[in-house]
Amino acid sequence: MLKQIISLLFGLLFAEPSFSAHEARVGLMRQGPAHPTSRLMAETRAAKTLDEPALKAAASAVDQRDQRGDPDNALAEDGVEEDARDASEGVEKAAEDKLSKSEARKQQECQMANAAMTAVGVTQNAALQAYVRRVGQRLLDVAEVGEETFSFDVLETPQIQAATNACGNIFISTGLMMHLNSESQLAAVLGHEIMHVLKAHDKRRKRRELLKGALGSATAMVLGGSSYSRNEINRSMRTATDLAFTQYDQNQEFEADNFGAEIMAKAGYSPESVVQVMAMFKALESVEFKQARAEGRSNALFRSFVTSHPPTPERYERAVIKARALNAENNDYRTGDEFLEQIDGVPYGLTRATGVLRGNRFYHARLGITLALPEGWRQKQVPSGVLFESASGDAAFELSTARLRKGLTPERLVNEGLGFKIIEGRDLTIDGMPAYIATASRAQTVFGERPIRLVVVFDQRRGLAFVGRGSGKFDLKKLADDGAFITIGFSLARMKKVDFEAAKPLQLKVVRAGPGTTMESLAAQSDLPNYPEDELRVINGLYPKGEPEPGQLIKIID
């Protein structure tokens, strides 16, 4: 039965949809009003964004089994086969219905895009937003604009991302923009995304997105096991299917590169910028692999823009050839632009709402707290709360808050309010605040259910409890990094007046290099917490060994 379901799903997944002449026609485009939201960041909330009826049909059998419960932690074979058969038939029918209703599908994706954008947020920098729209419009003006609408929005997020959807929205993140160095490079990114829409790449990708969740859920349903193991299976399947099915295929990337370069050249931008952007992605890839190897961890590019738009050697070589061909026809391109001026002052990394990490010290101005991290630890973006992880990624410390009630003590909060099964614990004070430190045998963590180190601190002035939970990826009974967790917890303190200046978010700033300016000297002055020289070289297009020329405008993080 497992093989039958997997065969069915993969058969649907890779079958080429047949479009009518009307559906296959590439629509022409004109600039339209900006849509308020986007599908970008769906990776960070995959379970929430995959809410289409077709996906629910495949997952329903798993959910129903979880609701019914199974005291013996065993699944009856007949029940599994029947549920699996129903789910597979539901997936097939849902997929067929979806593909026969292209307009309804488009509207649904628009709604999903709006919901996702609400969570991410368009930048409040009106000048930057208007600038990106002007550049996008210049490209549309030479792209045989027709009746379809198109919009451009800048998302304020550190993720390196650009995306488009069926609504004709194009999104680019501030995280990606700060890695670019000219208006031509910005045009290269926007032109690439425009051509994904003009060439109807989204339609060719539709079945893959439709069945991502179904594949993982159906496989977990057939495998069965305890409730805990089903959760683990769902998580791993979701990761695997995200990796396999979210990106455009290689031919679509070639096509978007090729035609994107053509409209760039028509709009007066040098197609050499396509090559420069790919070189930047290659540098990002090299840096991540180098750092991952040094830290003894797996690389973190598997869900990034670099993976969904891989700078393969063939893509790079084709871009070089295309740029040469276009330059042979015309080399009268724009020479000056305002790109660096426009991104000057853009927030770098996480914002005030999620706290600021300077060196190894974390500040959260809104909560009024600060703490110190062990060497190599970093902050990781999460939908809620604050998460820190070790250099290897094998240990994590989660920080959240809870409201205080009258008469509540840290120990009572842990035992009664949070419901942890405590192995050992004791009361103490941390920075003059009532606190409780304990270990719990089992709790839900970023790694699944694991033993945890608990550090709870009461800030009675603010009426808040700070709840810290340390866990290890490979911990079964003992906490391998318990010393680090205790150190982090004991370093928690109320911010003093001088700390609030340090709590201001980091910003990208554009400065002019002077005689003797080197990337090493800039890195030594930077507040970047990890690998500052690598980061500054990549964002300035100087990786691995380039140096700025005197008088050159360069980007720093301060």
Side-chain angles (χ1 to χ4, degrees), residues 121-138 152-157 170 172-180 182-183 186 190 338-348 508 510:
V122 176
T123 181
Q124 298 301 304
N125 187 333
L128 183 63
Q129 186 78 275
Y131 172 65
V132 170
R133 288 172 179 168
R134 288 198 303 273
V135 175
Q137 185 61 51
R138 289 191 191 115
F152 301 86
D153 287 293
V154 179
L155 303 184
E156 195 158 296
T157 169
I170 283 194
I172 183 168
S173 68
T174 52
L176 175 53
M177 289 188 70
M178 66 177 57
H179 283 77
L180 306 178
S182 69
E183 188 172 300
L186 172 62
L190 298 181
E338 56 185 298
F339 179 81
L340 291 178
E341 177 185 343
Q342 289 290 346
I343 64 169
D344 190 16
V346 166
Y348 175 88
L508 180 147
V510 178

Side-chain angles (χ1 to χ4, degrees), residues 329-444:
E329 300 172 7
N330 173 37
N331 59 6
D332 184 19
Y333 301 120
R334 297 172 182 267
T335 54
D337 62 60
E338 56 185 298
F339 179 81
L340 291 178
E341 177 185 343
Q342 289 290 346
I343 64 169
D344 190 16
V346 166
Y348 175 88
L350 302 176
T351 64
R352 187 185 297 273
T354 52
V356 175
L357 187 61
R358 288 183 180 268
N360 74 325
R361 182 154 286 277
F362 172 77
Y363 302 91
H364 201 301
R366 288 186 180 179
L367 298 178
I369 60 167
T370 179
L371 56 79
L373 297 178
E375 183 72 25
W377 279 60
R378 70 197 77 200
Q379 184 181 2
K380 188 173 181 180
Q381 188 174 27
V382 289
S384 62
V386 179
L387 175 65
F388 307 107
E389 66 176 13
S390 64
S392 66
D394 294 339
F397 190 87
E398 303 168 69
L399 186 65
S400 58
T401 60
R403 286 287 174 189
L404 296 187
R405 299 195 313 271
K406 189 175 181 180
L408 194 64
T409 65
E411 184 176 4
R412 282 188 60 196
L413 173 65
V414 169
N415 288 288
E416 300 173 19
L418 302 178
F420 292 118
K421 186 178 179 181
I422 299 302
I423 299 174
E424 58 82 22
R426 64 188 177 93
D427 293 306
L428 68 161
T429 59
I430 293 177
D431 193 39
M433 295 179 282
Y436 184 73
I437 183 169
T439 54
S441 60
R442 212 74 177 168
Q444 192 63 276

Side-chain angles (χ1 to χ4, degrees), residues 168-240:
N169 307 119
I170 283 194
F171 310 110
I172 183 168
S173 68
T174 52
L176 175 53
M177 289 188 70
M178 66 177 57
H179 283 77
L180 306 178
N181 284 285
S182 69
E183 188 172 300
S184 289
Q185 291 180 14
L186 172 62
V189 174
L190 298 181
H192 180 95
E193 297 302 325
I194 287 170
M195 295 316 299
H196 274 314
V197 177
L198 286 174
K199 296 300 178 180
H201 291 167
D202 194 71
K203 289 183 179 179
R204 286 185 252 170
R205 191 182 59 173
K206 187 59 61 179
R207 287 184 182 230
R208 292 184 176 189
E209 293 192 347
L210 184 64
L211 293 174
K212 285 193 321 184
L215 175 59
S217 296
T219 305
M221 176 186 62
V222 174
L223 292 176
S226 67
S227 176
Y228 168 66
S229 66
R230 282 199 297 274
N231 290 336
E232 290 291 301
I233 292 166
N234 269 304
R235 187 180 296 110
S236 62
M237 287 296 100
R238 189 161 59 243
T239 299

Side-chain angles (χ1 to χ4, degrees), residues 218-271:
T219 305
M221 176 186 62
V222 174
L223 292 176
S226 67
S227 176
Y228 168 66
S229 66
R230 282 199 297 274
N231 290 336
E232 290 291 301
I233 292 166
N234 269 304
R235 187 180 296 110
S236 62
M237 287 296 100
R238 189 161 59 243
T239 299
T241 51
D242 265 348
L243 172 63
F245 308 132
T246 53
Q247 59 263 58
Y248 294 108
D249 66 36
Q250 184 169 257
N251 288 332
Q252 291 169 343
E253 293 299 333
F254 288 154
E255 196 170 33
D257 291 340
N258 189 59
F259 289 101
E262 289 184 5
I263 64 169
M264 278 183 65
K266 289 180 182 178
Y269 295 109
S270 171

